[in-house]
Amino acid sequence: MKIGISNDHSAVEMKNEIKKYLEEKGYEVIDYGAQTTESCNYALYGKKAAEAVVNGEVEKAVLICGTGIGISLAANKVKGIRCAVCSEPVSARLSKEHNNANMIAFGARIVGIEMAKSIVSAWLDAIFAGGRHQQRIDTIE
């Protein structure tokens, strides 16, 4: 499975750690994020990864900025994206089970690297429940 990853300047180090973590788990990771800590616009990086999901370049994507909020808002502007900000694994799991989130976001200034790995794992391991949850997603779409 191909997974996109994107970030702003505040999350270069965390992005690199999560990218390595995903590759060690056997995923192919496509990097759409900032490569340096020079100040940049998170919205551009969120949109780039979101478009990659919608266009089928990748199946899912992980976004990281300072809080996870700004980059997720940018991603959610792209039709077909359901990006949830998660600061712990339970929300990450439920974002997939109930909302079929095709992207998640978190903050490099909010969670540590081990929590970030737990969030990513919970989301990737979760399975969409369908049923009444699909009806709700249809309403959102």
Side-chain angles (χ1 to χ4, degrees):
M1 175 190 312
K2 286 186 185 177
I3 297 179
I5 194 164
S6 199
N7 60 287
D8 72 358
H9 59 278
S10 70
V12 173
E13 184 178 335
M14 182 173 277
K15 183 266 307 266
N16 289 332
E17 294 253 356
I18 296 299
K19 182 177 177 182
K20 180 181 172 187
Y21 175 72
L22 289 168
E23 290 170 340
E24 288 171 353
K25 291 176 81 65
Y27 295 101
E28 181 180 350
V29 181
I30 309 299
D31 189 341
Y32 299 100
Q35 302 301 314
T36 72
T37 57
E38 184 177 328
S39 184
C40 64
N41 187 337
Y42 60 77
L44 299 175
Y45 292 103
K47 180 181 179 190
K48 189 173 184 179
E51 288 174 342
V53 171
V54 169
N55 294 333
E57 292 173 36
V58 294
E59 189 173 323
K60 303 173 183 186
V62 175
L63 302 178
I64 316 167
C65 67
T67 63
I69 297 167
I71 202 165
S72 71
L73 291 172
N76 279 318
K77 292 290 185 178
V78 176
K79 185 170 176 52
I81 292 300
R82 290 174 309 282
C83 183
V85 180
C86 304
S87 296
E88 38 68 37
V90 174
S91 295
R93 178 179 55 81
L94 291 171
S95 77
K96 180 66 175 190
E97 289 177 357
H98 292 190
N99 309 111
N100 203 15
N102 50 13
M103 299 180 84
I104 58 165
F106 46 85
R109 295 177 179 147
I110 305 298
V111 302
I113 189 62
E114 293 307 316
M115 180 60 74
K117 290 176 184 177
S118 294
I119 290 166
V120 169
S121 287
W123 177 63
L124 289 172
D125 292 344
I127 298 169
F128 178 53
R132 71 178 193 265
H133 301 292
Q134 183 60 55
Q135 294 170 340
R136 294 169 182 159
I137 291 170
D138 292 343
T139 302
I140 293 169
E141 293 292 320

